[in-house]
């Protein structure tokens, strides 16, 4: 009865677990999926914990039942031992009586008549004689009665012992059942532990995945906001054509008057060609317009450095960016501050960097030639609006690009 109830509970718990497992999606693709999966895993774990507790309680009960059965069995074995002692005693008694009786019968046969006659003749009176005759009869009756009594006693004790042995067998069967039950419950308990451990692993993995998804979502949101800000800035810039906000802080760029002429040192750029040809490096954009020079300045955007390691060329998003010299692309990547950027190695310790690109057309390891369109101006990374942040590095140190253009 008890056993059947336990099995039913275990079966119900098991099927409940299977149903839940089927509901849970294998992959969490979105934050809400991962959160939902996390909740489901926690629920599964709670269920498994409850089942485990129930199994532990069952195990305790079984162990207690086993102790009980063990006590009963020991008591029963003591009873059997007592009964066996009793039986031996009864058998001895019966045997003694039988032997005594045989001796008396034998004596009476051997000396029967004489002794009987002697007994009878020794009677002093008729009454005495009758008494003596009665005495002889009584002796034989006594023997028979005693023998019967002892025989019965022996039979009874034997019966009792058999009954006790039967009870002992039943107790042993009960004990075996309990051992089996204990093994079963133990096995279920171990399975439950494994299940809980597996759920805990899944919960950990899911939590890590959730964190990753949240991080990615934040990154994506930040990029969207940057793009929106850049778009807004571009629209405002287009609206008011003066664009007097951006001033070159570089000492060399004294010309602040207007358009393409501002890149004084290079000189030849005004003609529409994107290659200046004069310097070691050519201008990375056509009609270059410097909006911020190399050197120290007020940080224009929160998060930007106050030391300006390059030169900013103001240009609309999509404006082509050209390689300043022949070389090899060593980096083509995205960075939260630089946005999409390209680094070209020109040999002799010289590199040029092109940052905040809206698009990049080259890949790492690719050979490029001077004047090749490698990317497009954009507003990715930390920026207030679309421009090309251009750096020249010599032996790993940023230098003023104007010295090479
Ligand atoms: Zn810059």
């Amino acid at each position: 009865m008890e056993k059947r109830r336990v099995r039913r509970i275990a079966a119900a718990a098991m099927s409940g677990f299977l149903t839940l497992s089927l509901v849970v999606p294998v992959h969490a693709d979105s934050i809400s999926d991962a959160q939902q999966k996390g909740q489901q895993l926690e629920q599964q774990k709670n269920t498994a914990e409850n089942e485990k507790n129930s199994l532990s309680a069952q195990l305790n009960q079984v162990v207690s039942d086993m102790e009980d059965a063990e006590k009963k069995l020991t008591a029963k074995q003591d009873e059997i031992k007592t009964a066996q002692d009793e039986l031996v005693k009864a058998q001895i008694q019966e045997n003694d009586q039988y032997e005594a009786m045989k001796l008396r019968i034998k004596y009476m046969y051997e000396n029967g008549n004489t002794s009987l006659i002697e007994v009878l003749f020794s009677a002093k009176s008729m009454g005495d004689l009758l008494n003596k005759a009665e005495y002889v009869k009584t002796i034989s009756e006594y023997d028979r009665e005693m023998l019967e009594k002892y025989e019965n006693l022996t039979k009874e004790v034997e019966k009792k012992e058999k009954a006790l042995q039967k009870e002992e067998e039943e107790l042993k069967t009960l004990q075996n059942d309990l051992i089996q039950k204990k093994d079963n419950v133990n096995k279920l308990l171990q399975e439950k532990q494994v299940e809980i451990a597996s759920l805990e692993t899944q919960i950990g993995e899911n939590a890590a995945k959730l964190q990753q998804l949240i991080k990615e979502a934040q990154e994506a949101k930040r990029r969207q906001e940057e793009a929106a800000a850049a778009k807004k800035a571009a629209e405002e810039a287009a609206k008011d054509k003066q664009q007097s906000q951006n001033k070159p802080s570089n000492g060399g760029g004294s010309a602040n008057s207007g358009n393409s002429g501002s890149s004084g040192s290079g000189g030849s750029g005004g003609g529409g060609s994107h290659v200046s040809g004069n310097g070691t490096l050519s201008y990375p954009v056509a009609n270059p317009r410097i909006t911020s020079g190399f050197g120290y300045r007020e940080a224009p955007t929160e998060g930007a450095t106050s030391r300006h390691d390059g030169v900013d060329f103001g240009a609309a998003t999509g404006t082509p960016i050209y390689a300043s010299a022949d070389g090899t692309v060593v980096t083509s990547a995205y960075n939260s501050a630089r946005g999409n950027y390209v680094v070209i190695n020109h040999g002799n310790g010289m590199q040029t960097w092109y940052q905040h690109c809206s698009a990049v057309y080259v890949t790492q390891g690719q050979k490029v030639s001077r004047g090749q369109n490698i990317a497009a101006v954009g507003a990715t990374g930390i920026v207030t609006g679309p421009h090309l942040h251009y750096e020249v590095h010599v032996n790993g140190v940023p230098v003023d690009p104007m010295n090479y253009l």
Side-chain angles (χ1 to χ4, degrees):
M1 178 79 176
E2 172 70 13
K3 199 187 277 178
R4 221 177 299 145
R5 195 174 63 82
V6 167
R7 276 201 198 126
R8 222 185 303 132
I9 288 167
M14 207 53 125
S15 71
F17 168 67
L18 287 174
T19 316
L20 264 178
S21 326
L22 290 173
V23 168
V24 174
V26 181
H27 295 293
D29 294 326
S30 70
I31 289 171
S32 67
D33 276 356
Q35 283 168 337
Q36 209 183 337
K37 192 186 174 191
Q39 280 169 1
Q40 281 171 339
L41 285 168
E42 288 291 353
Q43 270 171 13
Q44 280 179 26
K45 196 189 151 195
N46 282 346
T47 306
E49 292 276 13
N50 287 340
E51 285 162 10
K52 185 189 141 193
N53 290 342
S54 154
L55 286 167
S56 291
Q58 281 174 38
L59 188 63
N60 287 343
Q61 184 59 52
V62 171
V63 169
S64 153
D65 288 351
M66 281 174 79
E67 282 165 6
D68 215 37
E70 181 71 39
K71 257 184 229 161
K72 278 184 189 158
L73 191 62
T74 308
K76 196 55 67 184
Q77 282 163 343
D78 285 348
E79 276 182 72
I80 289 169
K81 200 165 175 296
T82 308
Q84 281 169 339
D85 290 347
E86 275 173 35
L87 182 62
V88 171
K89 235 183 273 172
Q91 281 167 336
I92 289 168
Q93 245 176 347
E94 187 194 340
N95 197 52
D96 286 354
Q97 168 59 25
Y98 183 53
E99 292 301 323
M101 193 177 152
K102 275 198 293 185
L103 272 180
R104 274 195 283 274
I105 290 166
K106 193 184 169 207
Y107 180 82
M108 280 199 276
Y109 266 97
E110 281 170 358
N111 309 287
N113 296 333
T114 45
S115 70
L116 189 60
I117 287 160
E118 267 166 29
V119 169
L120 293 176
F121 275 85
S122 69
K124 290 167 188 149
S125 63
M126 190 53 139
D128 193 26
L129 182 123
L130 287 174
N131 276 342
K132 285 189 193 300
E134 188 59 28
Y135 170 72
V136 172
K137 195 185 163 209
T138 306
I139 283 180
S140 60
E141 269 176 11
Y142 167 81
D143 269 335
R144 212 173 33 242
E145 272 170 25
M146 286 306 279
L147 187 61
E148 270 171 22
K149 187 185 157 193
Y150 290 136
E151 268 178 355
N152 285 341
L153 183 65
T154 304
K155 273 180 198 153
E156 240 168 75
V157 174
E158 267 174 354
K159 216 170 127 190
K160 188 175 158 194
E161 200 201 333
K162 269 193 190 128
L164 286 169
Q165 272 166 345
K166 204 182 158 208
E167 283 174 37
E168 190 198 14
E169 283 308 308
E170 281 167 6
L171 281 170
K172 278 183 178 166
T173 307
L174 174 67
Q175 208 178 32
N176 285 338
D177 284 354
L178 285 169
I179 288 168
Q180 185 116 39
K181 195 171 164 190
K182 187 188 162 204
D183 288 349
N184 287 344
V185 176
N186 247 335
K187 205 179 146 213
L188 284 174
L189 202 57
Q190 274 166 10
E191 283 169 4
K192 211 38 78 180
Q193 305 268 52
V194 169
E195 187 190 321
I196 288 168
S198 152
L199 283 167
E200 276 168 355
T201 306
Q202 286 182 58
I203 286 167
E205 283 169 1
N206 189 63
K209 172 91 184 180
L210 181 59
Q211 224 170 357
Q212 163 88 15
L213 286 168
I214 288 170
K215 208 177 133 197
E216 280 171 14
Q218 283 170 344
E219 184 90 346
K221 192 180 168 224
R222 201 183 51 69
R223 280 196 222 175
Q224 249 175 7
E225 283 168 358
E226 276 174 11
K231 199 181 162 201
K232 200 179 161 204
E235 280 166 3
E236 274 169 13
K239 240 188 237 169
D240 113 276
K241 290 197 169 179
Q242 295 298 0
Q243 299 169 336
S244 57
Q245 284 278 325
N246 302 318
K247 260 185 240 170
S249 64
N250 186 306
S254 62
N256 191 19
S257 52
N259 234 332
S260 59
S262 64
S263 58
S265 60
S268 74
S273 163
H274 55 267
V275 179
S276 73
N278 266 354
T280 314
L281 301 169
S282 60
Y283 276 91
V285 288
N287 302 319
R289 179 173 59 83
I290 293 169
T291 54
S292 182
F294 181 85
Y296 287 90
R297 61 167 185 180
E298 291 287 312
T301 307
E302 206 182 336
T305 173
S306 60
R307 193 174 70 101
H308 198 216
D309 284 338
V311 167
D312 289 348
F313 293 103
T317 295
T319 304
I321 298 171
Y322 305 105
S324 284
D326 292 350
T328 305
V329 175
V330 289
T331 307
S332 172
Y334 175 82
N335 168 295
S336 60
R338 296 176 196 133
N340 297 313
Y341 72 106
V342 174
V343 180
I344 299 173
N345 188 25
H346 304 291
N348 298 320
M350 181 174 270
Q351 287 185 340
T352 49
W353 292 54
Y354 311 80
Q355 304 184 14
H356 311 312
C357 306
S358 59
V360 168
Y361 310 128
V362 292
T363 54
Q364 193 179 312
Q366 188 178 330
K367 295 239 186 291
V368 293
S369 49
R370 189 185 183 97
Q372 183 176 333
N373 184 195
I374 55 163
V377 171
T380 56
I382 298 173
V383 288
T384 52
H387 72 278
L388 169 64
H389 173 97
Y390 176 74
E391 290 182 14
V392 174
H393 290 199
V394 173
N395 296 325
V397 179
V399 295
D400 188 351
M402 300 319 291
N403 295 334
Y404 297 89
L405 287 166

